[in-house]
């Protein structure tokens, strides 16, 4: 739980007051519902002028891990 709180605080410090871009790919989805997993849209988020996505930043700074077998 403590690591989850630290991760959320890190995201807040990056995102608060910033503009961002959300990308949700529908390339492999047969229906609109196909872009959702557990009721949530699956996508990537970039904030400000960062070239790295929030997920990439969280992983590189030790707040998250890539799922086993993950490929870009």
């Amino acid at each position: 739980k403590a690591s989850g709180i630290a991760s959320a605080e890190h995201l807040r410090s990056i995102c608060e007051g910033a503009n961002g871009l959300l990308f949700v790919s529908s390339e492999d989805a047969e229906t609109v519902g196909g872009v959702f997993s557990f009721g949530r849209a699956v996508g990537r988020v970039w904030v400000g002028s960062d070239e790295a996505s929030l997920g990439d930043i969280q992983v590189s700074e030790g707040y998250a891990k890539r799922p086993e077998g993950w490929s870009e």
Side-chain angles (χ1 to χ4, degrees):
K1 178 157 174 142
S3 62
I5 292 170
S7 175
E9 288 175 358
H10 181 250
L11 282 173
R12 191 174 298 109
S13 73
I14 295 170
C15 298
E16 198 162 30
N19 291 319
L21 171 71
L22 168 64
F23 173 76
V24 178
S25 175
S26 61
E27 185 175 319
D28 296 326
E30 293 181 21
T31 66
V32 173
V35 300
F36 292 92
S37 176
F38 299 101
R40 298 180 177 145
V42 177
R44 300 189 80 171
V45 177
W46 289 265
V47 173
S49 61
D50 267 329
E51 290 188 21
S53 71
L54 286 180
D56 292 338
I57 292 168
Q58 287 287 88
V59 169
S60 71
E61 297 191 17
Y63 292 97
K65 296 179 182 177
R66 295 258 183 245
E68 202 168 305
W70 174 269
S71 64
E72 287 291 317

